[in-house]
Amino acid sequence: MSILCGLPLLECVYCLACARWAWKRCLHTAGHDSETWGLATAEEFEPVPRLCRYILAVYEDDLRKPLWEPPGGYGINPDWLVVKRTYEDTQGQAPPYILYLDHVHADLVLAIRGLNLGKESDYAVLLDNKLGKRKFDSGYVHNGLLKAAVWVWDAECEVLKELLEKYPNYTLTFTGHSLGSGVAALLTMVVVQNLDKLGNISRKRVRCYAIAPARCMSLNLAVRYGDVINSVVLQDDFLPRTATPLEDIFKSLFCLPCLLCLRCMRDTCVPEEKMLKDPRRLYAPGRLYHIVERKPFRMGRFPPVVRTAVPVDGRFEHIVLSCNATSDHAIIWIEREAQRALDLMLEKDGSMEIPAKQRMERQETLAREHTQEYKAALQRAVTLAVPHAYSPSQYGTFDEQEGGEHSDRAIEEYS
């Protein structure tokens, strides 16, 4: 037809299709990922900047003589530090971490640092995985991160049990950044499946905040644990968005922009329905909090807005072509912008002068809304035929009968 008409019609159509794809990809901004989500409240977002500072504290050799503390300090009382593990203590089996007894917030916090580019042991954790290599709780997880999580669990189980029995009103919080976020998320799953080893504490006492999260668990698990795991993403952060295996990302660290661009082109050509049907594909875990502080075609940073949801489809599936994709992964920037966002929320609440009784009622309403949103996400996962997804009623039975068996088997295998 091209020859008969004297025009290269097929070539023109192809070029137009490529131009349309490039235009759509360049116009896709991080704000589009969460534009339909609800706004987070100060009550639910309050722990985030504080936990970021706890993670930063792991980098210090001596918290009594800090060298790198942010403005305002870490907010840590060195006398309340229970455990501080270094690379020598973990023997490279897990990243360094601290266990901190936060009496101010009635919280027992285990904070794990992010990737150390100079440590081969961290790369060994990342590289210990292949697509579909490790099954856990009727889903798939990152094998190396699970092994690190089980190591931490074995090392600190008795200490955690003793402290939780001594302080029955305290919550148990796991948090981490980047590499540490994946360990913290999988450690939370292991703990939830073995609550009997912590004195049969309530599931509601356990929570996790994964900062700049790694994609470490399959979609059914990411949604199922949305009531205890929270992931925090700053604007254009590349790590939660790329389904490229972690081991490939850090193998190509010095050509990361090229890798992200190629992955962006590939993922655009794969229908999202096909992605959802792959049970081995890994995702960022739990409920998502998205900090949005930049707008398209505008310079500078705007007052940050925090949106939240437990999405099933549209779960950060497209890489954002942005010069901030790597800088937004830095824990320092995340702490800074999370604090700005929280300050704006508190300022707004202060101007409204909400009475204490009404504030408590709002917290109860928020808890009910989160529960309803979580159940709706479980149901939507079933509707979209996500592999091994269960409706809320089925999930309860499954969790009680089968979950512990899978996790116990994994712990025995790695211990």
Side-chain angles (χ1 to χ4, degrees), residues 140-159:
Y140 289 90
V141 297
H142 187 286
N143 185 63
L145 296 177
L146 178 62
K147 290 172 68 174
V150 171
W151 190 95
V152 176
W153 166 251
D154 289 339
E156 310 301 342
C157 178
E158 293 301 322
V159 177

Side-chain angles (χ1 to χ4, degrees), residues 161-179:
K161 180 180 179 181
E162 179 182 341
L163 291 172
L164 290 171
E165 289 177 346
K166 185 176 180 180
Y167 301 98
N169 296 323
Y170 281 33
T171 52
L172 175 60
T173 302
F174 300 100
T175 187
H177 169 252
S178 190
L179 170 69

Side-chain angles (χ1 to χ4, degrees), residues 64-77:
R64 297 185 184 277
K65 299 178 182 179
L67 300 176
W68 319 106
E69 62 180 346
Y74 295 114
I76 284 183
N77 185 339

Side-chain angles (χ1 to χ4, degrees), residues 202-223:
S202 169
R203 179 183 175 118
K204 293 181 179 179
R205 289 181 65 185
V206 182
R207 60 181 182 172
C208 171
Y209 286 87
I211 312 299
R215 295 173 72 113
C216 58
M217 62 183 68
S218 55
L219 183 57
N220 63 320
L221 298 179
V223 175

Side-chain angles (χ1 to χ4, degrees), residues 99-409:
L99 183 59
Y100 179 63
L101 193 56
D102 188 351
H103 292 293
V104 175
H105 300 93
D107 196 10
L108 179 59
V109 182
L110 195 152
I112 309 172
R113 65 158 288 166
L115 176 74
N116 185 339
L117 296 177
K119 283 291 181 179
E120 294 183 2
S121 58
D122 281 2
Y123 289 102
V125 172
L126 288 172
L127 296 174
D128 185 12
N129 189 60
K130 290 182 180 179
L131 191 63
K133 180 177 181 179
R134 173 53 54 192
K135 293 196 70 174
F136 184 89
D137 198 6
S138 289
Y140 289 90
V141 297
H142 187 286
N143 185 63
L145 296 177
L146 178 62
K147 290 172 68 174
V150 171
W151 190 95
V152 176
W153 166 251
D154 289 339
E156 310 301 342
C157 178
E158 293 301 322
V159 177
L160 293 175
K161 180 180 179 181
E162 179 182 341
L163 291 172
L164 290 171
E165 289 177 346
K166 185 176 180 180
Y167 301 98
N169 296 323
Y170 281 33
T171 52
L172 175 60
T173 302
F174 300 100
T175 187
H177 169 252
S178 190
L179 170 69
S181 71
V183 177
L186 296 183
L187 176 57
T188 304
M189 291 174 56
V190 171
V191 169
V192 167
Q193 293 295 333
N194 293 274
L195 294 175
D196 57 314
K197 296 182 180 179
L198 294 179
N200 287 314
I201 65 172
S202 169
R203 179 183 175 118
K204 293 181 179 179
R205 289 181 65 185
V206 182
R207 60 181 182 172
C208 171
Y209 286 87
I211 312 299
R215 295 173 72 113
C216 58
M217 62 183 68
S218 55
L219 183 57
N220 63 320
L221 298 179
V223 175
R224 187 185 305 164
Y225 286 88
D227 61 327
V228 291
I229 300 178
N230 306 278
S231 291
V232 181
V233 179
L234 175 60
Q235 188 83 20
D236 301 333
D237 188 357
F238 74 94
L239 192 59
R241 288 184 168 85
T242 175
T244 303
L246 293 177
E247 58 271 21
D248 291 343
I249 289 179
F250 290 99
K251 279 179 184 175
S252 308
L253 191 63
F254 299 104
C255 194
L256 186 56
C258 301
L259 178 67
L260 296 182
C261 187
L262 292 173
R263 189 72 195 194
C264 175
M265 296 178 63
R266 176 185 171 186
D267 284 352
T268 304
C269 300
V270 179
E272 188 167 351
E273 294 78 9
K274 184 177 180 180
M275 297 180 187
L276 293 175
K277 295 293 172 50
D278 186 354
R280 305 167 303 166
R281 186 180 175 88
L282 303 183
Y283 292 81
R287 169 177 288 276
L288 299 177
Y289 289 90
H290 191 200
I291 305 174
V292 180
E293 46 149 12
R294 291 186 297 273
K295 298 180 181 180
F297 307 114
R298 299 189 186 182
M299 299 294 291
R301 296 174 182 267
F302 290 79
V305 175
V306 183
R307 302 168 184 160
T308 182
V310 186
V312 180
D313 45 342
R315 195 179 180 91
F316 289 139
E317 283 306 306
H318 296 292
I319 295 174
V320 177
L321 298 179
S322 166
C323 59
N324 300 292
T326 53
S327 62
D328 283 348
H329 187 66
I331 182 67
I332 296 177
W333 274 112
I334 297 173
E335 185 274 332
R336 189 176 303 174
E337 295 305 317
Q339 187 62 57
R340 284 184 61 204
L342 178 61
D343 290 342
L344 290 173
M345 295 178 194
L346 293 174
E347 182 181 342
K348 182 178 179 181
D349 287 352
S351 64
M352 296 173 62
E353 297 181 354
I354 302 174
K357 182 178 180 180
Q358 186 176 347
R359 191 181 298 274
M360 290 182 62
E361 292 175 350
R362 189 170 72 168
Q363 291 176 354
E364 293 174 357
T365 301
L366 176 65
R368 287 196 299 269
E369 290 176 350
H370 276 199
T371 300
Q372 293 171 358
E373 188 176 9
Y374 167 64
K375 291 182 178 179
L378 291 173
Q379 188 59 53
R380 178 157 182 76
V382 174
T383 303
L384 293 175
V386 173
H388 307 297
Y390 295 84
S391 64
S393 58
Q394 291 173 313
Y395 164 64
T397 305
F398 168 83
D399 178 54
E400 294 170 3
Q401 295 181 357
E402 299 184 23
E405 179 184 346
H406 281 280
S407 60
D408 284 341
R409 190 182 306 130

